């Protein structure tokens, strides 16, 4: 804790979640990488499984092109295998408290920082402030990048 001056936690709380993101990993795994000529081709394939264009665009940030082929930058198999751990919250941290300056920054339409999670947030971070960006969802940095940067800069200055 002495090494950290300020902490920003983006759209997550210190709780276990029951969200199921496996469908997004499955959709990415179903993209026929060998047939791709462009990102637009990958987007068209993802459209069959993910209707939200902004979510597809966000996922496609992980698609890279090099040596005349497309690959996923992230380890989809590893993510899928670790989803239960990623959605949980480690018991080893239950006794830790950080009393420094902390901002929990969430999207207004996201359900990752709920009012019901505030006791858990305050339990670990008693001096936390909770800020929501209007009109943003879980990927608030992609939904509202200008607002995100403004809030972050204000907190850090």
């Amino acid at each position: 804790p002495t090494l950290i001056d300020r902490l920003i936690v983006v759209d997550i709380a210190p709780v276990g979640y029951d969200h199921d993101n496996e469908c997004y990993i499955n959709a990415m795994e179903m993209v026929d990488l060998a047939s791709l000529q462009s990102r637009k081709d990958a987007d068209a394939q993802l459209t069959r499984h993910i209707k939200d264009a902004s979510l597809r665009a966000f996922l496609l940030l992980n698609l890279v092109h090099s040596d005349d082929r497309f690959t996923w930058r992230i380890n989809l198999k590893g993510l899928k295998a670790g989803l239960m751990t990623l959605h949980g919250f480690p018991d080893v941290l239950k006794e830790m408290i950080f009393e420094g300056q902390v901002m929990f920054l969430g999207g207004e339409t996201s359900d990752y920082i709920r009012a019901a999670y505030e006791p858990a947030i305050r339990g670990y971070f008693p001096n936390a402030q909770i800020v929501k960006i209007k009109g943003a969802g879980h990927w608030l940095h992609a939904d509202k990048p200008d607002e995100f940067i403004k809030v972050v800069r204000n907190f850090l200055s």
Side-chain angles (χ1 to χ4, degrees), residues 6-79:
R6 294 174 196 176
L7 177 66
I8 300 173
V9 180
V10 179
D11 212 44
I12 194 110
V15 299
Y17 286 92
D18 60 2
H19 296 127
D20 182 13
N21 294 318
E22 189 171 349
C23 60
Y24 304 127
I25 296 171
N26 290 340
M28 293 167 78
E29 287 179 328
M30 286 188 251
V31 172
D32 180 6
L33 297 173
S35 72
L36 299 181
Q37 298 297 313
S38 67
R39 285 183 180 278
K40 188 174 179 181
D41 294 344
D43 186 54
Q45 289 185 37
L46 282 176
T47 301
R48 296 180 212 145
H49 308 285
I50 301 171
K51 301 304 176 203
D52 183 335
S54 64
L55 177 56
R56 287 193 317 273
F58 178 72
L59 296 175
L60 286 170
L61 292 174
N62 294 292
L63 186 66
V64 293
H65 184 258
S66 64
D67 299 328
D68 291 327
R69 64 185 181 103
F70 285 92
T71 58
W72 292 111
R73 172 190 334 250
I74 55 177
N75 180 347
L76 296 174
K77 284 184 181 183
L79 283 172

Side-chain angles (χ1 to χ4, degrees), residues 58-121:
F58 178 72
L59 296 175
L60 286 170
L61 292 174
N62 294 292
L63 186 66
V64 293
H65 184 258
S66 64
D67 299 328
D68 291 327
R69 64 185 181 103
F70 285 92
T71 58
W72 292 111
R73 172 190 334 250
I74 55 177
N75 180 347
L76 296 174
K77 284 184 181 183
L79 283 172
K80 188 187 284 189
L83 276 179
M84 292 302 291
T85 302
L86 290 171
H87 289 163
F89 189 76
D91 288 336
V92 71
L93 300 178
K94 294 215 185 277
E95 302 300 319
M96 296 185 166
I97 295 175
F98 179 74
E99 294 185 8
Q101 294 182 54
V102 179
M103 177 176 59
F104 278 75
L105 182 55
E108 177 187 44
T109 64
S110 172
D111 64 350
Y112 278 75
I113 300 178
R114 300 177 186 170
Y117 300 158
E118 190 168 336
I121 291 170

Side-chain angles (χ1 to χ4, degrees), residues 121-137:
I121 291 170
R122 302 260 180 244
Y124 290 103
F125 307 96
N127 297 313
Q129 58 179 291
I130 300 171
V131 177
K132 299 281 185 137
I133 294 180
K134 291 186 182 206

